Amino acid sequence: MTARPPEARISPLYRALGDRLFAGAVLALCLLIIGIVVLIGWQLAANGSRAFAAFGLLGFLGGTTWDPVANVFGAWPFILGTLITSFAALALAFFPALAVAIFAVEYAPRWLGSALQYALELLASLPSVIYGLWGLLVLAPVLRGVEQAVVGWAVEREADWLAQILGAPIGIGMANAVLVLAVMIIPYAASLAKDSIALVPNTQREAAYGLGATKWEVIRMAVLPYARGGILAGVILGFTRALGETMAVVMVIGNNKNLPFTVFGSATTIPSAIVNEFGEAQGLQLSSLLALGFILFILSGAMNLLAAWIVQRMSVEGRL
């Protein structure tokens, strides 16, 4: 007579109870995560409600004056600075990130692809203050020389309108922040794009080769369309990183709260405003800063939901 396996000696009642306990624990943890997110949003909205009530929702969002002395607070300069720097950084980072992903999967030998993956993970794990120091100590002096040459060229040709758009060539400002954010986005977008391209079935490539396509045509017509969902999701997740980046931006953007912003001049973002003023804020100013945090919370949440929707939509279209 053969011995029964250990799992066969467990009573059905005990097994059902264990399954229910495990399912309950998993459900409780999931609800805890959702509850934390909802609680964060509710706390930001509740503590920022005083600012919304004082200036009105549209008045606060569209206000251009931020004056703690006069107790007048408008969020538009911070919102505009956040959107400009994030979108500009995304535009600069997209093609380099995609190029790195394509090279690592389609062209590089295995050892070089592994080295690139390690480099991307290292860049993604670096503290943001390291990027800020790099932008402040290395990038700013280089940019200052380039910006002075460009502004000097505009002045020599009496293009005053162009010189006003470019702004003061000091090396610290919006251009510096955009470049630093672009470097910070590249590892996230490249890693997800690399994983998406690596998951493309080889049958896609073989079918394209069978039709006489070249290497680049295979990548353009067979690989990239199949992996576009993951590529776009990585880009959007990198964009959310740029939206919420604080320390690196604070160190290199100049923190100017007055509109209009210029290409080379100082600007500001929502995270930089919060970190600069939160320690000394009281009353309506504190409520306004928390209202800014709620706006940033909504923007980041919307971008993450958009990324999830894109992945789901592209996956469904891929199966069809």
CSV table of all heavy atoms in Angstrom, one decimal, residues 27-86:
chain,number,residue,atom,x,y,z
A,27,LEU,N,-7.1,40.4,-0.3
A,27,LEU,CA,-8.1,41.4,-0.5
A,27,LEU,C,-7.9,42.6,0.5
A,27,LEU,O,-8.0,43.7,0.1
A,27,LEU,CB,-9.5,40.8,-0.3
A,27,LEU,CG,-10.7,41.8,-0.5
A,27,LEU,CD1,-10.7,42.4,-1.8
A,27,LEU,CD2,-12.0,41.1,-0.2
A,28,ALA,N,-7.5,42.3,1.7
A,28,ALA,CA,-7.3,43.3,2.7
A,28,ALA,C,-6.1,44.2,2.3
A,28,ALA,O,-6.1,45.4,2.5
A,28,ALA,CB,-7.1,42.7,4.1
A,29,LEU,N,-5.1,43.6,1.9
A,29,LEU,CA,-3.9,44.3,1.4
A,29,LEU,C,-4.2,45.2,0.2
A,29,LEU,O,-3.7,46.3,0.1
A,29,LEU,CB,-2.7,43.4,1.1
A,29,LEU,CG,-2.1,42.6,2.3
A,29,LEU,CD1,-1.1,41.6,1.9
A,29,LEU,CD2,-1.5,43.6,3.3
A,30,CYS,N,-5.0,44.7,-0.7
A,30,CYS,CA,-5.3,45.5,-1.9
A,30,CYS,C,-6.2,46.7,-1.5
A,30,CYS,O,-6.0,47.8,-1.9
A,30,CYS,CB,-6.1,44.6,-2.9
A,30,CYS,SG,-5.1,43.3,-3.7
A,31,LEU,N,-7.2,46.4,-0.6
A,31,LEU,CA,-8.0,47.5,-0.1
A,31,LEU,C,-7.2,48.5,0.7
A,31,LEU,O,-7.5,49.7,0.7
A,31,LEU,CB,-9.1,47.0,0.7
A,31,LEU,CG,-10.2,46.1,0.0
A,31,LEU,CD1,-11.2,45.6,0.9
A,31,LEU,CD2,-10.9,46.9,-1.1
A,32,LEU,N,-6.2,48.0,1.4
A,32,LEU,CA,-5.3,49.0,2.2
A,32,LEU,C,-4.6,49.9,1.2
A,32,LEU,O,-4.5,51.1,1.5
A,32,LEU,CB,-4.3,48.2,3.0
A,32,LEU,CG,-3.3,49.0,3.8
A,32,LEU,CD1,-4.0,49.8,4.8
A,32,LEU,CD2,-2.3,48.0,4.5
A,33,ILE,N,-4.0,49.4,0.1
A,33,ILE,CA,-3.3,50.2,-0.8
A,33,ILE,C,-4.3,51.3,-1.5
A,33,ILE,O,-4.0,52.5,-1.5
A,33,ILE,CB,-2.7,49.4,-2.0
A,33,ILE,CG1,-1.7,48.4,-1.4
A,33,ILE,CG2,-2.1,50.3,-3.0
A,33,ILE,CD1,-0.5,49.1,-0.7
A,34,ILE,N,-5.5,50.8,-1.8
A,34,ILE,CA,-6.4,51.7,-2.4
A,34,ILE,C,-6.8,52.8,-1.4
A,34,ILE,O,-7.0,54.0,-1.7
A,34,ILE,CB,-7.7,51.0,-2.9
A,34,ILE,CG1,-7.3,50.0,-4.1
A,34,ILE,CG2,-8.8,51.9,-3.4
A,34,ILE,CD1,-8.4,49.1,-4.5
A,35,GLY,N,-7.0,52.3,-0.1
A,35,GLY,CA,-7.4,53.3,0.9
A,35,GLY,C,-6.3,54.3,1.2
A,35,GLY,O,-6.6,55.5,1.4
A,36,ILE,N,-5.1,53.9,1.1
A,36,ILE,CA,-4.0,54.9,1.3
A,36,ILE,C,-4.0,55.9,0.2
A,36,ILE,O,-3.8,57.1,0.5
A,36,ILE,CB,-2.6,54.2,1.4
A,36,ILE,CG1,-2.5,53.3,2.6
A,36,ILE,CG2,-1.5,55.1,1.3
A,36,ILE,CD1,-1.3,52.4,2.7
A,37,VAL,N,-4.2,55.5,-1.0
A,37,VAL,CA,-4.2,56.5,-2.1
A,37,VAL,C,-5.4,57.4,-2.0
A,37,VAL,O,-5.3,58.7,-2.1
A,37,VAL,CB,-4.3,55.7,-3.5
A,37,VAL,CG1,-4.5,56.7,-4.6
A,37,VAL,CG2,-3.1,54.9,-3.7
A,38,VAL,N,-6.6,56.9,-1.6
A,38,VAL,CA,-7.8,57.7,-1.4
A,38,VAL,C,-7.6,58.7,-0.3
A,38,VAL,O,-7.9,59.9,-0.3
A,38,VAL,CB,-9.0,56.9,-1.2
A,38,VAL,CG1,-10.2,57.7,-0.8
A,38,VAL,CG2,-9.3,56.1,-2.5
A,39,LEU,N,-6.9,58.2,0.8
A,39,LEU,CA,-6.7,59.0,2.0
A,39,LEU,C,-5.7,60.2,1.7
A,39,LEU,O,-6.0,61.3,2.1
A,39,LEU,CB,-6.2,58.2,3.1
A,39,LEU,CG,-5.9,58.9,4.5
A,39,LEU,CD1,-7.2,59.4,5.0
A,39,LEU,CD2,-5.2,57.9,5.5
A,40,ILE,N,-4.7,59.9,0.9
A,40,ILE,CA,-3.8,60.9,0.5
A,40,ILE,C,-4.5,62.0,-0.3
A,40,ILE,O,-4.4,63.2,0.0
A,40,ILE,CB,-2.6,60.4,-0.3
A,40,ILE,CG1,-1.7,59.5,0.6
A,40,ILE,CG2,-1.8,61.5,-0.9
A,40,ILE,CD1,-0.6,58.8,-0.2
A,41,GLY,N,-5.3,61.6,-1.3
A,41,GLY,CA,-6.0,62.6,-2.1
A,41,GLY,C,-7.0,63.4,-1.2
A,41,GLY,O,-7.1,64.6,-1.4
A,42,TRP,N,-7.7,62.7,-0.3
A,42,TRP,CA,-8.7,63.4,0.5
A,42,TRP,C,-8.1,64.4,1.4
A,42,TRP,O,-8.6,65.5,1.6
A,42,TRP,CB,-9.5,62.3,1.3
A,42,TRP,CG,-10.6,63.0,2.2
A,42,TRP,CD1,-11.8,63.4,1.8
A,42,TRP,CD2,-10.4,63.2,3.6
A,42,TRP,NE1,-12.4,64.0,2.9
A,42,TRP,CE2,-11.7,63.8,4.0
A,42,TRP,CE3,-9.4,63.0,4.5
A,42,TRP,CZ2,-11.9,64.2,5.3
A,42,TRP,CZ3,-9.7,63.4,5.8
A,42,TRP,CH2,-10.9,64.0,6.2
A,43,GLN,N,-6.9,64.0,2.0
A,43,GLN,CA,-6.3,64.9,2.9
A,43,GLN,C,-5.7,66.1,2.2
A,43,GLN,O,-5.9,67.3,2.7
A,43,GLN,CB,-5.1,64.2,3.6
A,43,GLN,CG,-5.5,63.2,4.7
A,43,GLN,CD,-6.0,63.9,6.0
A,43,GLN,OE1,-5.7,65.1,6.2
A,43,GLN,NE2,-6.8,63.2,6.7
A,44,LEU,N,-5.2,66.0,1.0
A,44,LEU,CA,-4.7,67.1,0.3
A,44,LEU,C,-5.9,68.0,-0.1
A,44,LEU,O,-5.8,69.3,0.0
A,44,LEU,CB,-4.0,66.6,-1.0
A,44,LEU,CG,-2.6,66.0,-0.8
A,44,LEU,CD1,-2.1,65.4,-2.1
A,44,LEU,CD2,-1.6,67.0,-0.2
A,45,ALA,N,-7.0,67.4,-0.6
A,45,ALA,CA,-8.1,68.2,-1.0
A,45,ALA,C,-8.7,68.9,0.2
A,45,ALA,O,-9.1,70.1,0.1
A,45,ALA,CB,-9.2,67.3,-1.7
A,46,ALA,N,-8.9,68.2,1.3
A,46,ALA,CA,-9.5,68.8,2.5
A,46,ALA,C,-8.6,70.0,3.1
A,46,ALA,O,-9.1,71.1,3.4
A,46,ALA,CB,-9.7,67.8,3.6
A,47,ASN,N,-7.3,69.8,3.1
A,47,ASN,CA,-6.5,70.8,3.7
A,47,ASN,C,-6.2,72.0,2.6
A,47,ASN,O,-5.9,73.1,3.1
A,47,ASN,CB,-5.1,70.3,4.1
A,47,ASN,CG,-5.2,69.4,5.3
A,47,ASN,OD1,-5.3,69.9,6.4
A,47,ASN,ND2,-5.2,68.1,5.1
A,48,GLY,N,-6.5,71.7,1.4
A,48,GLY,CA,-6.4,72.8,0.4
A,48,GLY,C,-7.7,73.4,0.1
A,48,GLY,O,-7.7,74.4,-0.8
A,49,SER,N,-8.8,73.0,0.7
A,49,SER,CA,-10.1,73.6,0.4
A,49,SER,C,-10.2,75.0,0.8
A,49,SER,O,-10.9,75.8,0.2
A,49,SER,CB,-11.2,72.8,1.1
A,49,SER,OG,-10.9,72.8,2.5
A,50,ARG,N,-9.4,75.5,1.8
A,50,ARG,CA,-9.5,76.9,2.2
A,50,ARG,C,-9.0,77.8,1.0
A,50,ARG,O,-9.6,78.8,0.8
A,50,ARG,CB,-8.6,77.1,3.4
A,50,ARG,CG,-8.6,78.5,3.9
A,50,ARG,CD,-7.8,78.7,5.2
A,50,ARG,NE,-7.6,80.1,5.5
A,50,ARG,CZ,-6.8,80.5,6.5
A,50,ARG,NH1,-6.1,79.7,7.2
A,50,ARG,NH2,-6.8,81.8,6.8
A,51,ALA,N,-7.9,77.3,0.3
A,51,ALA,CA,-7.5,78.1,-0.8
A,51,ALA,C,-8.5,78.1,-1.9
A,51,ALA,O,-8.7,79.2,-2.6
A,51,ALA,CB,-6.1,77.6,-1.3
A,52,PHE,N,-9.1,77.0,-2.2
A,52,PHE,CA,-10.1,76.9,-3.3
A,52,PHE,C,-11.3,77.8,-2.9
A,52,PHE,O,-11.9,78.4,-3.8
A,52,PHE,CB,-10.5,75.5,-3.5
A,52,PHE,CG,-9.5,74.6,-4.1
A,52,PHE,CD1,-9.2,73.3,-3.5
A,52,PHE,CD2,-8.7,75.0,-5.2
A,52,PHE,CE1,-8.2,72.5,-4.1
A,52,PHE,CE2,-7.8,74.2,-5.7
A,52,PHE,CZ,-7.5,72.9,-5.2
A,53,ALA,N,-11.7,77.8,-1.6
A,53,ALA,CA,-12.8,78.6,-1.2
A,53,ALA,C,-12.5,80.1,-1.3
A,53,ALA,O,-13.3,80.9,-1.6
A,53,ALA,CB,-13.2,78.2,0.2
A,54,ALA,N,-11.2,80.5,-1.0
A,54,ALA,CA,-10.9,81.9,-0.9
A,54,ALA,C,-10.8,82.5,-2.3
A,54,ALA,O,-11.1,83.7,-2.5
A,54,ALA,CB,-9.5,82.0,-0.2
A,55,PHE,N,-10.2,81.7,-3.3
A,55,PHE,CA,-10.0,82.3,-4.6
A,55,PHE,C,-10.9,81.7,-5.7
A,55,PHE,O,-10.9,82.2,-6.8
A,55,PHE,CB,-8.5,82.1,-5.0
A,55,PHE,CG,-7.6,82.6,-4.0
A,55,PHE,CD1,-6.9,81.7,-3.2
A,55,PHE,CD2,-7.4,84.0,-3.9
A,55,PHE,CE1,-5.9,82.2,-2.3
A,55,PHE,CE2,-6.5,84.5,-2.9
A,55,PHE,CZ,-5.7,83.6,-2.1
A,56,GLY,N,-11.7,80.6,-5.3
A,56,GLY,CA,-12.4,79.9,-6.3
A,56,GLY,C,-11.5,79.0,-7.1
A,56,GLY,O,-10.3,79.2,-7.2
A,57,LEU,N,-12.1,77.9,-7.5
A,57,LEU,CA,-11.3,76.9,-8.2
A,57,LEU,C,-10.6,77.4,-9.5
A,57,LEU,O,-9.4,77.3,-9.6
A,57,LEU,CB,-12.2,75.7,-8.6
A,57,LEU,CG,-11.5,74.5,-9.4
A,57,LEU,CD1,-10.3,74.0,-8.5
A,57,LEU,CD2,-12.4,73.4,-9.8
A,58,LEU,N,-11.4,78.1,-10.3
A,58,LEU,CA,-10.8,78.7,-11.5
A,58,LEU,C,-9.9,79.9,-11.2
A,58,LEU,O,-8.9,80.1,-11.9
A,58,LEU,CB,-11.9,79.2,-12.5
A,58,LEU,CG,-12.8,78.0,-13.1
A,58,LEU,CD1,-13.9,78.6,-14.0
A,58,LEU,CD2,-12.0,77.0,-13.8
A,59,GLY,N,-10.2,80.6,-10.2
A,59,GLY,CA,-9.4,81.7,-9.8
A,59,GLY,C,-8.1,81.3,-9.2
A,59,GLY,O,-7.0,81.9,-9.5
A,60,PHE,N,-8.1,80.2,-8.5
A,60,PHE,CA,-6.8,79.6,-8.0
A,60,PHE,C,-6.0,79.0,-9.1
A,60,PHE,O,-4.8,79.2,-9.2
A,60,PHE,CB,-7.1,78.6,-6.9
A,60,PHE,CG,-5.8,78.0,-6.3
A,60,PHE,CD1,-5.1,78.8,-5.4
A,60,PHE,CD2,-5.4,76.7,-6.6
A,60,PHE,CE1,-3.9,78.2,-4.8
A,60,PHE,CE2,-4.3,76.2,-6.1
A,60,PHE,CZ,-3.5,77.0,-5.2
A,61,LEU,N,-6.6,78.2,-10.0
A,61,LEU,CA,-5.9,77.6,-11.1
A,61,LEU,C,-5.4,78.6,-12.1
A,61,LEU,O,-4.3,78.4,-12.6
A,61,LEU,CB,-6.8,76.6,-11.8
A,61,LEU,CG,-7.3,75.4,-11.0
A,61,LEU,CD1,-8.2,74.5,-11.8
A,61,LEU,CD2,-6.1,74.5,-10.5
A,62,GLY,N,-6.1,79.7,-12.3
A,62,GLY,CA,-5.7,80.6,-13.3
A,62,GLY,C,-5.0,81.8,-12.8
A,62,GLY,O,-4.6,82.7,-13.6
A,63,GLY,N,-4.9,82.0,-11.5
A,63,GLY,CA,-4.2,83.1,-10.9
A,63,GLY,C,-2.7,83.1,-11.2
A,63,GLY,O,-2.1,82.1,-11.2
A,64,THR,N,-2.2,84.3,-11.5
A,64,THR,CA,-0.8,84.5,-11.9
A,64,THR,C,0.1,85.1,-10.8
A,64,THR,O,1.3,85.3,-11.0
A,64,THR,CB,-0.7,85.3,-13.2
A,64,THR,OG1,-1.3,86.6,-13.0
A,64,THR,CG2,-1.4,84.6,-14.3
A,65,THR,N,-0.5,85.5,-9.7
A,65,THR,CA,0.2,86.2,-8.6
A,65,THR,C,0.3,85.2,-7.4
A,65,THR,O,-0.7,84.7,-6.9
A,65,THR,CB,-0.5,87.5,-8.2
A,65,THR,OG1,-0.6,88.3,-9.3
A,65,THR,CG2,0.2,88.2,-7.1
A,66,TRP,N,1.5,85.1,-6.9
A,66,TRP,CA,1.8,84.3,-5.7
A,66,TRP,C,2.6,85.2,-4.8
A,66,TRP,O,3.8,85.4,-4.9
A,66,TRP,CB,2.6,83.1,-6.1
A,66,TRP,CG,2.8,82.1,-4.9
A,66,TRP,CD1,3.7,82.2,-3.9
A,66,TRP,CD2,2.0,81.0,-4.6
A,66,TRP,NE1,3.6,81.2,-3.0
A,66,TRP,CE2,2.5,80.4,-3.4
A,66,TRP,CE3,0.9,80.4,-5.2
A,66,TRP,CZ2,1.9,79.3,-2.8
A,66,TRP,CZ3,0.3,79.3,-4.6
A,66,TRP,CH2,0.8,78.7,-3.5
A,67,ASP,N,1.8,85.8,-3.8
A,67,ASP,CA,2.4,86.8,-2.9
A,67,ASP,C,2.0,86.5,-1.5
A,67,ASP,O,0.9,86.9,-1.1
A,67,ASP,CB,1.9,88.2,-3.3
A,67,ASP,CG,2.6,89.3,-2.6
A,67,ASP,OD1,3.4,89.0,-1.7
A,67,ASP,OD2,2.4,90.5,-2.9
A,68,PRO,N,2.9,85.8,-0.8
A,68,PRO,CA,2.5,85.5,0.6
A,68,PRO,C,2.3,86.7,1.5
A,68,PRO,O,1.5,86.7,2.5
A,68,PRO,CB,3.8,84.7,1.1
A,68,PRO,CG,4.4,84.2,-0.1
A,68,PRO,CD,4.1,85.2,-1.2
A,69,VAL,N,3.0,87.9,1.2
A,69,VAL,CA,2.8,89.1,2.0
A,69,VAL,C,1.4,89.6,1.9
A,69,VAL,O,0.7,90.0,2.9
A,69,VAL,CB,3.8,90.1,1.6
A,69,VAL,CG1,3.6,91.4,2.4
A,69,VAL,CG2,5.2,89.6,1.8
A,70,ALA,N,0.9,89.6,0.6
A,70,ALA,CA,-0.5,90.1,0.4
A,70,ALA,C,-1.6,89.0,0.5
A,70,ALA,O,-2.8,89.3,0.4
A,70,ALA,CB,-0.6,90.7,-1.0
A,71,ASN,N,-1.2,87.8,0.8
A,71,ASN,CA,-2.1,86.7,1.0
A,71,ASN,C,-2.9,86.5,-0.3
A,71,ASN,O,-4.1,86.2,-0.3
A,71,ASN,CB,-3.1,86.9,2.1
A,71,ASN,CG,-2.8,85.9,3.2
A,71,ASN,OD1,-1.8,85.1,3.2
A,71,ASN,ND2,-3.7,85.9,4.3
A,72,VAL,N,-2.2,86.6,-1.5
A,72,VAL,CA,-2.8,86.3,-2.8
A,72,VAL,C,-2.0,85.2,-3.4
A,72,VAL,O,-0.8,85.3,-3.5
A,72,VAL,CB,-2.7,87.6,-3.7
A,72,VAL,CG1,-3.3,87.3,-5.0
A,72,VAL,CG2,-3.5,88.7,-3.0
A,73,PHE,N,-2.7,84.1,-3.8
A,73,PHE,CA,-2.0,82.9,-4.3
A,73,PHE,C,-2.7,82.5,-5.6
A,73,PHE,O,-3.9,82.2,-5.6
A,73,PHE,CB,-2.0,81.8,-3.2
A,73,PHE,CG,-1.4,82.2,-2.0
A,73,PHE,CD1,-2.2,82.7,-0.9
A,73,PHE,CD2,0.0,82.2,-1.9
A,73,PHE,CE1,-1.5,83.0,0.3
A,73,PHE,CE2,0.6,82.6,-0.7
A,73,PHE,CZ,-0.2,83.0,0.4
A,74,GLY,N,-2.0,82.4,-6.6
A,74,GLY,CA,-2.4,81.8,-7.9
A,74,GLY,C,-1.5,80.7,-8.4
A,74,GLY,O,-0.3,80.8,-8.3
A,75,ALA,N,-2.1,79.6,-8.9
A,75,ALA,CA,-1.3,78.4,-9.2
A,75,ALA,C,-0.8,78.4,-10.6
A,75,ALA,O,0.0,77.5,-10.9
A,75,ALA,CB,-2.1,77.2,-8.9
A,76,TRP,N,-1.2,79.3,-11.5
A,76,TRP,CA,-0.9,79.1,-12.9
A,76,TRP,C,0.6,79.1,-13.2
A,76,TRP,O,1.0,78.3,-14.0
A,76,TRP,CB,-1.6,80.2,-13.7
A,76,TRP,CG,-1.4,80.1,-15.2
A,76,TRP,CD1,-0.9,81.0,-16.0
A,76,TRP,CD2,-1.7,78.9,-16.0
A,76,TRP,NE1,-0.8,80.5,-17.3
A,76,TRP,CE2,-1.3,79.3,-17.3
A,76,TRP,CE3,-2.2,77.7,-15.8
A,76,TRP,CZ2,-1.4,78.4,-18.4
A,76,TRP,CZ3,-2.4,76.8,-16.8
A,76,TRP,CH2,-2.0,77.1,-18.1
A,77,PRO,N,1.4,80.0,-12.6
A,77,PRO,CA,2.8,79.9,-13.0
A,77,PRO,C,3.4,78.5,-12.6
A,77,PRO,O,4.3,78.0,-13.4
A,77,PRO,CB,3.5,81.0,-12.1
A,77,PRO,CG,2.3,82.0,-11.8
A,77,PRO,CD,1.1,81.1,-11.8
A,78,PHE,N,3.0,77.9,-11.5
A,78,PHE,CA,3.6,76.6,-11.1
A,78,PHE,C,3.0,75.5,-12.1
A,78,PHE,O,3.8,74.6,-12.5
A,78,PHE,CB,3.2,76.3,-9.7
A,78,PHE,CG,3.5,77.4,-8.7
A,78,PHE,CD1,2.6,78.2,-8.2
A,78,PHE,CD2,4.9,77.7,-8.4
A,78,PHE,CE1,2.9,79.3,-7.3
A,78,PHE,CE2,5.2,78.7,-7.5
A,78,PHE,CZ,4.2,79.5,-7.0
A,79,ILE,N,1.8,75.6,-12.4
A,79,ILE,CA,1.2,74.6,-13.3
A,79,ILE,C,1.9,74.7,-14.7
A,79,ILE,O,2.3,73.7,-15.3
A,79,ILE,CB,-0.3,74.8,-13.4
A,79,ILE,CG1,-1.0,74.5,-12.1
A,79,ILE,CG2,-0.9,73.8,-14.5
A,79,ILE,CD1,-2.5,74.8,-12.1
A,80,LEU,N,2.0,75.9,-15.2
A,80,LEU,CA,2.6,76.1,-16.5
A,80,LEU,C,4.1,75.7,-16.5
A,80,LEU,O,4.5,75.0,-17.4
A,80,LEU,CB,2.5,77.6,-16.9
A,80,LEU,CG,3.0,78.0,-18.3
A,80,LEU,CD1,2.2,77.3,-19.3
A,80,LEU,CD2,3.0,79.5,-18.5
A,81,GLY,N,4.8,76.0,-15.5
A,81,GLY,CA,6.2,75.6,-15.4
A,81,GLY,C,6.3,74.1,-15.4
A,81,GLY,O,7.2,73.5,-16.0
A,82,THR,N,5.5,73.4,-14.6
A,82,THR,CA,5.5,72.0,-14.5
A,82,THR,C,5.2,71.3,-15.9
A,82,THR,O,5.9,70.4,-16.3
A,82,THR,CB,4.5,71.5,-13.5
A,82,THR,OG1,4.8,72.1,-12.2
A,82,THR,CG2,4.5,70.0,-13.3
A,83,LEU,N,4.2,71.8,-16.5
A,83,LEU,CA,3.8,71.2,-17.8
A,83,LEU,C,4.9,71.5,-18.9
A,83,LEU,O,5.2,70.6,-19.7
A,83,LEU,CB,2.5,71.8,-18.3
A,83,LEU,CG,1.3,71.4,-17.4
A,83,LEU,CD1,0.0,72.0,-17.9
A,83,LEU,CD2,1.1,69.9,-17.3
A,84,ILE,N,5.4,72.7,-18.9
A,84,ILE,CA,6.4,73.0,-20.0
A,84,ILE,C,7.7,72.2,-19.8
A,84,ILE,O,8.2,71.5,-20.7
A,84,ILE,CB,6.8,74.5,-19.9
A,84,ILE,CG1,5.6,75.3,-20.4
A,84,ILE,CG2,8.0,74.8,-20.8
A,84,ILE,CD1,5.8,76.8,-20.3
A,85,THR,N,8.2,72.1,-18.6
A,85,THR,CA,9.4,71.4,-18.3
A,85,THR,C,9.2,69.9,-18.6
A,85,THR,O,10.1,69.2,-19.1
A,85,THR,CB,9.9,71.6,-16.9
A,85,THR,OG1,8.9,71.3,-16.0
A,85,THR,CG2,10.4,73.0,-16.7
A,86,SER,N,8.0,69.3,-18.2
A,86,SER,CA,7.8,67.9,-18.3
A,86,SER,C,7.6,67.5,-19.8
A,86,SER,O,8.2,66.5,-20.2
A,86,SER,CB,6.5,67.5,-17.5
A,86,SER,OG,6.7,67.8,-16.1
